[in-house]
Amino acid sequence: MTGQPTVLLGVTGGIAAYKAAELLRGFQKAGMEVRVMMTEAATRFVTPLTFETLSGHQVHVGEMLRADSTIAHIEEGNVADIMVIAPATANTLAKMAAGFADNLLTATYLAYAGTVVVAPSMNTNMWRHPATQSNVAVLRERGVYVVEPGAGELACGVYGSGRMADPESIVAEVKYRLQVERKTDLRGLHVVITSGGTREPIDAVRYIGNRSSGKMGAALARGAFDRGAVVHLVKANVDLPRAPGVTEIETPTAAEMYQEVMRLLPETDILIMAAAVADYSVVAPAGGKIGKSHADLSVSLVPTTDILCEVATRKEGKQYVVGFAAEYGMEGLARARDKLERKNLDMIVFNDISRSDIGFNSDYNEVVILTPQGESRVERAPKETIAEIILDHIARELRSRREEFLPVT
Ligand code: CTP
């Protein structure tokens, strides 16, 4: 990509089509060139002339059958650095997931090999419907980026989720994707990321667990894959869409996670332990369900193996190892530094779990990246952004290590 990036904006037939004009202006203000393609249904909400006037280019509409449109789906795709479908209706999302090419826009999507971003927009019940949710999951799995709809009062008068994300959020996502796609600084490296929270069984139905959602690990996995790494995501009890291109392995307990990390270790270049691993497990979990007839009941716990400590003894200096320190309050920063040294890590990412606006289960985080050389504070941001900053740090460190070993000419 040279100079001004070109966005191919696909507009489909939802009430939010009128917001696509503002979105187009947002792309232009961010220094992007915009080409527009509309479905027939979209033209009933906004006329092509609006987009033609704003973009300064002819707008392609509707069916594939028109003589002037027959190769438009290839041509437009070729010039675009990114394709954005906003608003994306339930109907268009379903066609994209199923591979339909029954109009110019869906045909262009199928023929397009670059990055695709969609901004769904529809009535709450349509958005929540399992059919729509599974179509969105399929698209995500194939690498389509979804700018989640927000909650608010919808055109149908109902309050709920389904409203197209704000144009600024869509522009921000597109700017971010254009920049991230260019990074290939982890190409060919084997990255293992743990995520989620382990659950230690007490009996057949109960467990000792924690509130980790696995969102930070998922963002890291996605980011590492985008940068060209071969990624294994070792996850414990995570309920999130699969990350495209990433090999996922389920390890519900600390012992299983330990086994898996050790199995992968010899081939690993970078290990990121973002999981909240239980420090104790139950000595002898009951086979069935413990009833309430006991006068008193105690459960004996034993410490689990500390995966990072075990890695430190086996890693032979090859792997770059990153830990996470979830600490209560900023005074935990000193404890995080202590863990960095005690567990012989290359990096530890500190976050403050006393705050409800970041960390556990939130889409946001605010962290301090600690290395033996120093520390770097990262302001509150979406976990995807935090993941990119962490990966930038790792890639930079690895580059400088490699340079140390380059022959002096
Ligand atoms: N960790 C691990 N194996 C464990 C427990 C934790 O590898 N059995 C990893 C976590 O994935 C995290 C780091 O160690 O990357 C720090 O975890 P944390 O729970 O904050 O630290 P602990 O060593 O368990 O110390 P403490 O609970 O005493 O604060």
Side-chain angles (χ1 to χ4, degrees):
M1 186 172 63
T2 52
Q4 225 184 359
T6 300
V7 179
L8 174 57
L9 174 62
V11 183
T12 71
I15 181 65
Y18 78 94
K19 285 199 207 158
E22 193 187 335
L23 180 61
L24 187 158
R25 299 289 291 153
F27 286 137
Q28 288 174 330
K29 280 194 202 131
M32 301 172 204
E33 166 94 16
V34 188
R35 303 293 175 92
V36 180
M37 197 171 262
M38 301 174 79
T39 59
E40 287 286 356
T43 63
R44 279 183 240 132
F45 292 93
V46 192
T47 67
L49 188 61
T50 308
F51 294 111
E52 257 166 34
T53 311
L54 292 174
S55 72
H57 292 281
Q58 192 199 341
V59 170
H60 293 281
V61 180
E63 305 291 327
M64 295 272 297
L65 301 174
R66 283 166 36 177
D68 62 341
S69 315
T70 43
I71 53 162
H73 66 292
I74 306 291
E75 273 176 7
E76 293 285 359
N78 282 347
V79 299
D81 295 295
I82 194 162
M83 181 172 184
V84 181
I85 303 176
T89 57
N91 189 38
T92 293
L93 292 170
K95 288 181 187 177
M96 289 166 72
F100 279 72
D102 65 340
N103 66 36
L104 192 55
L105 185 58
T106 48
T108 304
Y109 163 71
L110 272 189
Y112 185 63
T115 305
V116 179
V117 174
V118 295
S121 166
M122 65 201 74
N123 153 285
T124 301
N125 291 343
M126 289 170 85
W127 172 246
R128 290 212 191 117
H129 196 284
T132 305
Q133 287 300 311
S134 97
N135 288 333
V136 169
V138 164
L139 292 175
R140 275 205 171 101
E141 171 127 355
R142 293 186 190 145
V144 171
Y145 296 103
V146 181
V147 188
E148 293 269 334
E153 194 175 345
L154 304 177
C156 50
V158 172
Y159 188 90
S161 58
R163 193 169 72 170
M164 188 173 86
D166 291 334
E168 306 93 79
S169 313
I170 303 171
V171 173
E173 173 76 15
V174 168
K175 274 163 79 176
Y176 172 65
R177 291 296 153 205
L178 283 168
Q179 170 230 322
V180 171
E181 293 303 315
R182 289 207 302 269
K183 288 190 184 161
T184 54
D185 47 13
L186 299 180
R187 181 178 286 156
L189 293 179
H190 286 247
V191 179
V192 173
I193 297 164
T194 65
S195 74
T198 62
R199 290 179 185 171
E200 308 309 317
I202 297 171
D203 64 14
V205 285
R206 303 178 181 97
Y207 55 81
I208 301 172
N210 62 70
R211 294 197 290 122
S212 176
S213 63
K215 286 179 183 166
M216 196 62 236
L220 285 161
R222 192 168 192 143
F225 175 75
D226 283 347
R227 291 167 186 241
V230 177
V231 185
H232 284 84
L233 183 62
V234 180
K235 54 181 210 172
N237 312 299
V238 174
D239 184 20
L240 291 174
R242 286 178 63 85
V246 171
T247 305
E248 299 194 350
I249 303 143
E250 300 282 344
T251 58
T253 63
E256 286 160 295
M257 183 170 279
Y258 166 72
Q259 293 295 340
E260 195 54 36
V261 171
M262 289 304 146
R263 188 182 72 80
L264 294 167
L265 190 64
E267 299 301 317
T268 303
D269 296 300
I270 301 167
L271 169 66
I272 307 178
M273 284 287 303
V277 187
D279 290 329
Y280 295 91
S281 64
V282 177
V283 176
K289 183 179 170 219
I290 301 172
K292 60 178 170 197
S293 56
H294 300 263
D296 59 40
L297 180 68
S298 57
V299 175
S300 294
L301 302 176
V302 273
T304 56
T305 308
D306 191 298
I307 303 172
L308 280 176
C309 288
E310 202 58 28
V311 166
T313 64
R314 298 204 203 173
K315 73 172 187 170
E316 298 162 2
K318 177 178 166 268
Q319 290 85 358
Y320 190 91
V321 181
V322 181
F324 269 70
E327 303 284 350
Y328 208 82
M330 281 308 280
E331 55 281 9
L333 198 55
R335 274 200 301 278
R337 183 159 287 286
D338 175 58
K339 279 178 199 170
L340 176 78
E341 285 159 20
R342 187 160 42 84
K343 300 195 182 196
N344 192 20
L345 303 174
D346 298 290
M347 175 188 288
I348 196 156
V349 180
F350 160 89
N351 70 307
D352 177 1
I353 53 169
S354 70
R355 285 172 53 181
S356 59
D357 62 331
I358 55 168
F360 276 146
N361 241 319
S362 163
D363 290 334
Y364 287 80
N365 214 347
E366 180 177 309
V367 302
V368 183
I369 298 174
L370 301 163
T371 63
Q373 290 76 38
E375 67 182 53
S376 163
R377 281 167 196 265
V378 186
E379 302 271 286
R380 183 176 183 274
K383 285 184 173 168
E384 285 75 18
T385 312
I386 302 277
E388 290 306 326
I389 295 168
I390 293 170
L391 294 171
D392 279 343
H393 269 76
I394 297 173
R396 212 176 305 132
E397 287 262 333
L398 287 177
R399 226 175 6 252
S400 70
R401 279 189 189 184
R402 257 181 247 142
E403 275 158 17
E404 272 176 42
F405 299 107
L406 286 180
V408 182
T409 49

